[in-house]
Amino acid sequence: GAVVSQHPSWVICKSGTSVKIECRSLDFQATTMFWYRQFPKQSLMLMATSNEGSKATYEQGVEKDKFLINHASLTLSTLTVTSAHPEDSSFYICSARDLNRREGYEQYFGPGTRLTVT
Amino acid sequence: LAKTTQPISMDSYEGQEVNITCSHNNIATNDYITWYQQFPSQGPRFIIQGYKTKVTNEVASLFIPADRKSSTLSLPRVSLSDTAVYYCLVGGNRDDKIIFGKGTRLHILP
């Protein structure tokens, strides 16, 4: 099956610094990737849709200047949390669509990145 | 995107069959129904997808009535390792973003 990887799997950073999280589709191409955030005991919350070669589309309430998304190739999207604060501590998950899938719809999810801001 | 409603939590015992029902009254003609499983601190994992009637794979079965306004995920002979959150999602366009509902927290008891 299709595999999506994320790096790093966990990261601890100091308040005010920036952190970059990578999302890669390993064995398929994805023009669209999605970024989610999940707090403990809660569901996944869609943050933004990452489109290869164009600007990301952010969900309402998500600060685009704080969460910078770059989708530079068909297999890589990055999320940069700028000037991180403790309230940004969360589990960040990306997903990707298989460009060549013709029927139904399915997203393949990465394993997630645990961000802790101290 | 069709809104889905599913039970917040369920308990069952090892070896039992577990059925989780999801309501999606506003499902569109071209929408598929997909179920995901999520363990703590992991990304969601695809379980099964269907459009109508019944779909079965090595992990689960998905039952969809003719009106498609609901669906039931059936997990045969569950084990402790099936304790997880299960999400029912509905959508059809290849560019559809997936909006997660609250999911069903399934707890399997020994």
Side-chain angles (χ1 to χ4, degrees), chain A residues 31-32 34 36 38 41-44 46 49 59 91 93 97-112 114, chain B residues 31-34 36 38 40-46 49 87 89-103 105:
Chain A
T31 54
T32 303
F34 302 89
Y36 296 83
Q38 187 175 35
K41 302 292 186 183
Q42 294 187 23
S43 184
L44 285 77
L46 180 64
T49 301
E59 295 299 302
F91 192 54
I93 304 169
R97 272 198 192 286
D98 186 345
L99 180 65
N100 295 314
R101 185 180 174 93
R102 297 300 175 193
E103 294 185 1
Y105 82 103
E106 183 181 334
Q107 290 183 3
Y108 303 99
F109 288 84
R114 173 75 58 192
Chain B
D31 282 346
Y32 282 78
I33 301 154
T34 312
Y36 288 86
Q38 187 184 28
S41 296
Q42 294 186 27
R45 181 178 75 103
F46 172 88
Q49 183 179 88
Y87 294 97
L89 297 139
V90 174
N93 187 290
R94 288 178 66 241
D95 295 324
D96 260 353
K97 54 188 179 183
I98 291 186
I99 304 296
F100 281 76
K102 297 184 184 302
R105 192 170 296 274

Side-chain angles (χ1 to χ4, degrees), chain A residues 41-62:
Chain A
K41 302 292 186 183
Q42 294 187 23
S43 184
L44 285 77
M45 184 191 78
L46 180 64
M47 299 175 66
T49 301
S50 169
N51 301 297
E52 188 268 336
S54 65
K55 291 183 178 181
T57 303
Y58 291 82
E59 295 299 302
Q60 190 173 6
V62 178

